[in-house]
Amino acid sequence: MTTEQTTKPQPAPQVEASASTPTELAITGMSCGNCARHAMEALQGVPGVRSAAVSLEPGGAAVRWDAGAAQDVPALLR
């Protein structure tokens, strides 16, 4: 399973997050609901993530950040 950032690249790896603007990710290689669950749990484990929603079809995720949290997109991709 791989992830790709589909949002506009930021000049720095960590930027101030907006609670209302999610970070959108494209995820390839998920073949079942268990894959989606594992991806969601991994995303929710990143510091500053308020919530993550993963969709098996079409293969993507939306991550919402805690208000004022640093938006660490490289950590999401790891």
Side-chain angles (χ1 to χ4, degrees):
M1 176 173 29
T2 60
T3 59
E4 299 172 19
Q5 182 181 0
T6 59
T7 58
K8 188 175 183 180
Q10 300 296 326
Q14 293 187 356
V15 296
E16 193 66 25
S18 168
S20 63
T21 305
T23 299
E24 300 286 334
L25 302 171
I27 304 175
T28 59
M30 292 190 297
S31 59
C32 65
N34 200 36
C35 293
R37 181 181 59 83
H38 282 286
M40 183 179 67
E41 289 172 353
L43 294 170
Q44 289 176 337
V46 173
V49 171
R50 182 179 70 190
S51 66
V54 176
S55 175
L56 184 58
E57 293 293 327
V63 175
R64 293 202 180 271
W65 300 91
D66 290 330
Q71 187 176 346
D72 189 0
V73 175
L76 295 178
L77 298 177
R78 283 190 293 277

